[in-house]
Amino acid sequence: MDFIEELTWRGMIHQMMPGTDEQLKKGMTAAYLGIDPTADSLHIGHLVGVMMLKHFQRSGHKPIALVGGATGMIGDPSMKSQERKLLDVETLRHNQEAIKNQLAKFLDFDSDAPNAAILVNNYDWMKDYTFLDFIRDVGKNLTVNYMMAKDSVKKRLSGESGEGMSFTEFSYQLLQGYDFLHLYEAEGCRLQLGGSDQWGNITTGTELIRRMLGKDDAFAITCPLITKADGGKFGKTESGNVWLDPARTSPYKFYQFWLNVSDADAEKYIKIFTVLTREEIESLVAQQAENPGARPLQKRLAEEITRMVHGEKELESAIEASQILFSNHAAETLRKIDEATLLAVFEGVPTFEISRSLLNGETKLVDLLTDAAQVFPSKGEMRKMTQQGALSINKEKVADPYAVATEEMLLNGKYILVQRGKKNYYLLIAR
């Protein structure tokens, strides 16, 4: 597989230094991508870079994932309007381990293949480098004029906030540039990958290698920053980032995010975030054009990426949960799904807290759903709708308004799902 060719048809190349293609054609090449360890999970905004590394390894080359323990202590000023909080070493180490576990779902770290991926942390080579040694060895090789010309610096210095930029942040590009130089010497790394906002930092690295080592075989490729067709920011929802950690974003919500992207975005994202072949994607695009309502692009995109991140079992659970509102087997599925998924599926529905003591086999539903929880405005209304077949408990029809409530009704030992009519859901929480 030709790496440049693959990334080009997938729409994943924004800028590329001359000579990059020729370098890759010489044989197996090592390339690195930097990941900021400010959280103990990646989010989907990181996935473009991670997929670049995945395609790089699939092409027979060696990927290096760099966790920026040192640079993470400073914070990259690129695309930022203000300085970020600094992290301590213990937090950074914890984040690094968590990130490696997630990366292992995309990259082969453990085989004995010559192009097995490696994970490095720039804190390991920066922690003992004294400030005096660094500014003497590295700092003297780049002029302030050169550093000031970078977009990331210019934007911050001309920012409306008027806060300017600290010397700490100003030095960031020197540190990132030195990472490239270190990996060039220590790992034979000849290429750096990153987002288009990183072009300035990456070329600082190639410039340092040229000036300090006299070498001109260090290269760069950046991918475009992903946007949505409507101009909105990719990867952000009303509740914030879409994370890869299931404790932060449930597999159900993760699956739903991809399932609900627009047709235009689905066609773009399926190229970037899956390893489906060009032929498979073209076939899906044709199916979408023929029957847009069936949403084959969104379904396949959501399946592929959820499987990659969370595994087959979690994908099946997410698909099952997605069908709860429409499935004939919803009652069975409700009994199986975990609490986080249940709450995610019914997020935003009205909730009522009830006393667990009411589920004693004596309280009648007509009392439970009017007095204890105001699902119905009156007992007469409740009886009438039940007789019309318009009441369900946990997706099972209720025929008798005078049936009694028991603890066996509880989902996850805590919840009762009440449906009034076709579209009105209520969640009872037993305390």
Side-chain angles (χ1 to χ4, degrees):
M1 191 174 95
D2 184 286
F3 179 65
I4 303 297
E5 205 175 278
E6 186 75 7
L7 256 58
T8 301
W9 79 259
R10 290 182 184 275
M12 293 173 72
I13 293 184
H14 182 73
Q15 291 159 295
M16 181 169 72
M17 283 183 70
T20 305
D21 199 14
E22 290 78 357
Q23 168 63 38
L24 295 178
K25 283 184 165 64
K26 287 178 185 175
M28 189 181 79
T29 299
Y32 93 92
L33 175 102
I35 295 169
D36 192 355
T38 46
D40 60 359
S41 173
L42 301 173
H43 53 72
I44 60 174
H46 291 109
L47 282 184
V48 188
V50 174
M51 290 304 295
M52 286 176 88
L53 285 181
K54 185 173 180 67
H55 290 306
F56 195 67
Q57 190 170 44
R58 290 175 69 230
S59 303
H61 299 294
K62 186 178 187 70
I64 301 171
L66 180 146
V67 174
T71 38
M73 295 175 92
I74 289 173
D76 182 1
S78 304
M79 308 296 283
K80 305 288 186 298
S81 59
Q82 58 190 29
E83 195 159 355
R84 70 178 65 180
K85 291 187 176 75
L86 308 185
L87 301 176
D88 59 66
V89 175
E90 192 180 331
T91 304
L92 287 164
R93 287 293 184 199
H94 164 74
N95 292 355
Q96 174 186 342
E97 279 310 302
I99 288 169
K100 183 178 181 181
N101 290 336
Q102 292 180 341
L103 288 173
K105 295 173 180 177
F106 297 84
L107 303 172
D108 166 23
F109 286 98
D110 300 322
S111 78
D112 54 5
N115 71 327
I118 60 171
L119 184 86
V120 296
N121 185 337
N122 57 15
Y123 181 76
D124 294 333
W125 58 82
M126 289 306 304
K127 67 180 187 295
D128 297 322
Y129 210 152
T130 69
F131 177 71
L132 287 175
D133 286 340
F134 187 79
I135 58 172
R136 183 192 62 195
D137 299 345
V138 181
K140 68 176 186 183
N141 289 283
L142 294 177
T143 65
V144 171
N145 307 52
Y146 176 87
M147 295 171 73
M148 294 276 284
K150 300 292 182 182
D151 282 346
S152 60
V153 175
K154 284 197 291 192
K155 282 177 184 172
R156 278 295 293 279
L157 292 179
S158 62
E160 293 174 11
S161 65
E163 290 180 16
M165 174 187 259
S166 69
F167 174 77
T168 303
E169 284 188 299
F170 183 60
S171 65
Y172 185 93
Q173 62 175 292
L174 269 181
L175 288 172
Q176 186 170 329
Y178 182 73
D179 287 343
F180 200 172
L181 183 139
H182 173 84
L183 291 173
Y184 181 99
E185 293 188 296
E187 302 291 346
C189 180
R190 296 293 181 268
L191 175 63
Q192 186 177 167
L193 307 171
S196 58
D197 60 322
Q198 291 295 308
W199 184 254
N201 292 333
I202 294 173
T203 52
T204 296
T206 60
E207 185 66 10
L208 269 182
I209 290 166
R210 189 181 69 78
R211 294 189 184 197
M212 292 179 69
L213 305 178
K215 304 285 189 180
D216 60 0
D217 59 344
F219 303 97
I221 297 176
T222 63
C223 58
L225 293 179
I226 305 301
T227 55
K228 285 162 55 177
D230 64 5
K233 190 168 182 182
F234 167 73
K236 290 281 188 185
T237 65
E238 286 178 12
S239 52
N241 285 322
V242 178
W243 299 92
L244 273 55
D245 182 347
R248 288 172 177 256
T249 300
S250 70
Y252 166 78
K253 275 195 168 181
F254 186 86
Y255 175 81
Q256 284 291 318
F257 172 83
W258 301 102
L259 194 64
N260 290 314
V261 300
S262 70
D263 289 1
D265 286 335
E267 188 173 338
K268 180 167 71 169
Y269 295 167
I270 202 163
K271 294 175 186 173
I272 296 170
F273 298 111
T274 76
V275 293
L276 295 178
T277 65
R278 196 170 192 166
E279 292 70 31
E280 286 173 304
I281 291 173
E282 284 171 357
S283 169
L284 287 163
V285 170
Q287 290 172 42
Q288 186 95 349
E290 206 172 287
N291 185 6
R295 299 167 69 79
L297 273 175
Q298 284 92 336
K299 285 177 182 172
R300 190 65 185 277
L301 169 66
E303 283 173 21
E304 292 290 326
I305 197 159
T306 305
R307 182 184 290 112
M308 203 161 15
V309 172
H310 294 295
E312 192 68 43
K313 187 181 170 192
E314 294 291 0
L315 168 63
E316 286 172 12
S317 298
I319 293 172
E320 274 192 341
S322 299
Q323 294 166 348
I324 280 176
L325 302 182
F326 319 103
S327 166
N328 295 326
H329 308 290
E332 187 186 327
T333 304
L334 273 175
R335 293 279 174 195
K336 287 194 303 187
I337 63 172
D338 58 79
E339 182 177 7
T341 306
L342 175 71
L343 293 177
V345 173
F346 294 99
E347 184 178 25
V349 307
T351 59
F352 296 103
E353 287 198 9
I354 59 168
S355 170
R356 189 178 287 268
S357 64
L358 292 172
L359 308 177
N360 53 12
E362 294 178 12
T363 307
K364 296 178 175 58
L365 288 179
V366 70
D367 298 319
L368 182 73
L369 300 180
T370 54
D371 297 336
Q374 288 76 50
V375 172
F376 293 92
S378 69
K379 292 179 182 180
E381 178 75 4
M382 193 275 193
R383 287 192 294 268
K384 180 181 162 190
M385 290 197 76
T386 305
Q387 286 159 5
Q388 292 171 350
L391 171 65
S392 296
I393 300 282
N394 300 333
K395 295 298 281 186
E396 291 182 305
K397 292 280 185 194
V398 174
D400 180 7
Y402 296 101
V404 293
T406 68
E407 288 206 4
E408 288 176 10
M409 291 177 169
L410 293 174
L411 304 169
N412 289 284
K414 192 173 176 182
Y415 304 98
I416 298 174
L417 179 70
V418 182
Q419 183 178 358
R420 192 189 81 199
K422 282 189 176 180
K423 296 181 179 176
N424 299 306
Y425 288 94
Y426 305 85
L427 207 56
L428 275 51
I429 306 168
R431 301 287 190 195

